Amino acid sequence: MAKVLEFKLPDLGEGLTEAEIVRWLVEVGDVVAIDQPVVEVETAKAMVEVPCPYGGVVTARFGEEGTELPVGSPLLTVAVGAPEGSSGSGEDSGSGTESSGGSGNVLVGYGTGAPAARRRRIRPDRLDRPVTEAPVSAAPVVEPPVLEAPVVKVLVADAAVSEGPVPVVSPLVRRLARQHDIDLRRLAGSGPDGLILRADVDRAIRTAEETATATAHAARTQAKTQAQAPAAAVAGAPNGVSAAPAAERIPLRGVRGAVADKLSRSRTEIPDATCWVDADATELMTVRAAMNAATGPSAGPKVSVLALLARICTAALARFPELNSTVDTEAREIVRLPGVHLGFAAQTERGLVVPVVRDAHTRNAESIGAEIARLTELARTGKLSPAQLTGGTFTLNNYGVFGVDGSTPIINHPEAAMLGVGRIMPKPWVHQGELAVRQVVQLSLTFDHRVCDGGTAGGFLRYVADCVEQPAVLLRTL
């Protein structure tokens, strides 16, 4: 005899409490292997494929694509065991439980190593009932006529909704309930051990139809009463003017919701301040062109402007470690962080994300550039893991790609500072006592005033500007 086990949305880590169903990877009736991905969900951090720790036949799915579920909510139920070829006796049913146990793993890449099974369909009517019911004989289940079934009870109190698998064997009953929006968890079955029969669903449908009819009649009565009331409320409206369209409401969830929460928390908790400076980036652009034009043994991958700015940031943070810190509000302490995990803002179709280059202080410009390129590609395809989006200690925001010169960025909580970079464009500039056209960029630093004063922030920004204007300054720290 098979057992029906319920798989709930697991804790995906990083403090995530909910996820949105993006795409189901299995259908009801599919055979799944242990740790096979069954659903793709979107959290506030990334897209994640969730594997099922049980192997067996999918008997039910909970939630349509686009539904947002909290952690711990049922995702699907799986009939585990060997329903085909079973004699139906208690001895035979016990022999199949050992192979049907779950792995206990919930994250992709941490499975048991069981070989992936080819997806196939079986007839759902071969599934046995849940473990809480009496053993089912090998004979097919025959549902009693509608007239012979006792009266079904419809549970309406939320507290009375049953937990665990729904006691339904027939896929016809499930399909009938789904077509009429009947919640099987709110039905008390009239079959053996509470089994929900078709007669129970039919009675629930009739009850719902009677309720809908009564509601529609009440609505028509109310509309008729309102139509007979004086039209003084609309008398002042000009002829031919239609009512204003309703405003569109967009839920704040997924990446957009996570960004909203983090930025709101940053503005609420962090007393930030911003300073900025214009810098002549002509020499930096010349050095980059020379690096990328090198041939022979000294040649290498192309180095981006963002990679050079990131390397400048790590050198500046070594001089001003106050800005590579965070504030422990409960302990009322400033926590100086030993390493630099550099985040960089990336705009994707899913919204703004901040991938993190780990141990950026140990990397050169070429290594940082390669890691930025790799993480950017993952961000564009939506394959960044939560670990690659968290743990940053300082953020570099290149908003110049949007064609703007300056900004006052919001600190990426719980970090202490963020460097913003505007577009690099030709501008009139006094160079060596003469007016010339130079490549000018605006740099802005937003910092947490709790970790340092303006002198430290100004010193950091000035050092960054000096490295941009005179890249040879970086040779001191290489």
Side-chain angles (χ1 to χ4, degrees):
M1 180 184 70
K3 296 191 297 185
V4 176
L5 301 180
E6 184 178 69
F7 175 47
K8 299 180 179 180
L9 178 64
D11 182 359
L12 301 176
E14 302 296 340
L16 303 174
T17 60
E18 58 191 13
E20 179 181 342
I21 297 175
V22 176
R23 180 168 60 98
W24 282 105
L25 305 179
V26 295
E27 301 286 344
V28 174
D30 284 355
V31 176
V32 296
I34 293 177
D35 291 337
Q36 175 181 333
V38 293
V39 65
E40 188 178 71
V41 300
E42 179 181 24
T43 69
K45 301 293 186 181
M47 301 275 278
V48 179
E49 286 187 349
V50 180
C52 179
Y54 312 123
V57 180
V58 178
T59 59
R61 302 186 317 191
F62 304 102
E64 300 296 329
E65 294 179 355
T67 303
E68 192 170 64
L69 298 177
V71 170
S73 298
L75 271 179
L76 50 78
T77 53
V78 179
V80 300
E84 297 187 53
S86 175
S87 64
S89 63
E91 291 78 12
D92 292 339
S93 65
S95 63
T97 57
E98 181 178 355
S99 63
S100 63
S103 70
N105 298 308
V106 295
L107 293 179
V108 176
Y110 294 86
T112 58
R118 181 178 60 86
R119 280 178 52 178
R120 60 187 180 92
R121 297 282 186 123
I122 71 168
R123 291 177 56 189
D125 56 4
R126 294 187 180 181
L127 300 179
D128 286 315
R129 64 185 68 227
V131 68
T132 57
E133 300 176 354
V136 182
S137 65
V141 177
V142 179
E143 298 176 359
V146 174
L147 297 178
E148 297 179 2
V151 177
V152 66
K153 297 180 182 179
V154 180
L155 303 180
V156 296
D158 291 341
V161 177
S162 62
E163 297 291 340
V166 180
V168 178
V169 173
S170 171
L172 176 62
V173 174
R174 290 187 180 275
R175 183 168 65 251
L176 185 63
R178 185 166 57 250
Q179 290 173 349
H180 292 82
D181 294 328
I182 300 298
D183 187 355
L184 292 175
R185 291 179 177 273
R186 296 180 178 272
L187 296 184
S190 59
D193 296 324
L195 182 67
I196 297 176
L197 306 177
R198 177 171 180 172
D200 303 329
V201 177
D202 287 337
R203 281 183 165 78
I205 293 173
R206 286 197 297 271
T207 301
E209 289 176 349
E210 292 172 359
T211 303
T213 301
T215 302
H217 177 71
R220 286 194 299 269
T221 302
Q222 182 179 3
K224 184 177 179 180
T225 302
Q226 292 177 349
Q228 294 173 351
V234 295
N239 293 333
V241 177
S242 59
E248 181 183 6
R249 291 180 174 269
I250 303 174
L252 276 175
R253 61 187 184 187
V255 174
R256 185 73 264 164
V259 171
D261 292 340
K262 174 161 282 194
L263 297 183
S264 297
R265 185 176 182 184
S266 178
R267 279 294 193 213
T268 301
E269 294 186 8
I270 299 178
D272 58 351
T274 302
C275 53
W276 58 88
V277 64
D278 289 339
D280 181 2
T282 305
E283 293 298 327
L284 181 69
M285 301 302 290
T286 302
V287 168
R288 173 178 174 266
M291 294 171 61
N292 292 337
T295 58
S298 60
K302 303 295 183 182
V303 178
S304 65
V305 176
L306 187 62
L308 292 175
L309 291 172
R311 180 63 185 90
I312 292 173
C313 283
T314 59
L317 289 171
R319 285 176 168 253
F320 301 92
E322 298 91 338
L323 295 173
N324 192 57
S325 61
T326 186
V327 176
D328 187 339
T329 55
E330 294 185 1
R332 294 184 61 83
E333 294 176 342
I334 298 174
V335 182
R336 296 267 183 94
L337 302 172
V340 178
H341 303 310
L342 187 68
F344 63 95
Q347 192 70 35
T348 68
E349 293 182 356
R350 298 175 58 238
L352 178 66
V353 295
V354 184
V356 178
V357 177
R358 302 286 172 185
D359 300 316
H361 60 290
T362 64
R363 300 173 180 263
N364 56 27
E366 184 176 301
S367 174
I368 293 176
E371 183 67 0
I372 288 176
R374 185 182 72 87
L375 293 173
T376 300
E377 182 59 28
L378 291 175
R380 288 173 179 168
T381 57
K383 296 181 179 179
L384 284 171
S385 67
Q388 292 170 322
L389 290 166
T390 55
T393 63
F394 184 92
T395 298
L396 176 61
N397 187 359
N398 180 22
Y399 45 75
V401 296
F402 303 119
V404 297
D405 296 329
S407 175
T408 55
I410 300 177
I411 296 175
N412 187 20
H413 185 278
E415 299 171 10
M418 176 186 291
L419 179 70
V421 182
R423 60 177 175 172
I424 302 175
M425 61 179 302
K427 288 184 178 180
W429 190 266
V430 176
H431 177 65
Q432 296 180 351
E434 296 182 357
L435 188 62
V437 176
R438 307 286 287 181
Q439 300 291 324
V440 180
V441 62
Q442 185 180 98
L443 307 170
S444 60
L445 176 71
T446 299
F447 64 98
D448 186 342
H449 229 312
R450 296 173 298 179
V451 303
C452 69
D453 296 325
T456 300
F460 175 93
L461 187 60
R462 188 62 257 172
Y463 178 81
V464 171
D466 289 344
C467 290
V468 169
E469 294 184 337
Q470 305 174 52
V473 173
L474 273 177
L475 293 176
R476 296 178 178 271
T477 59
L478 295 180

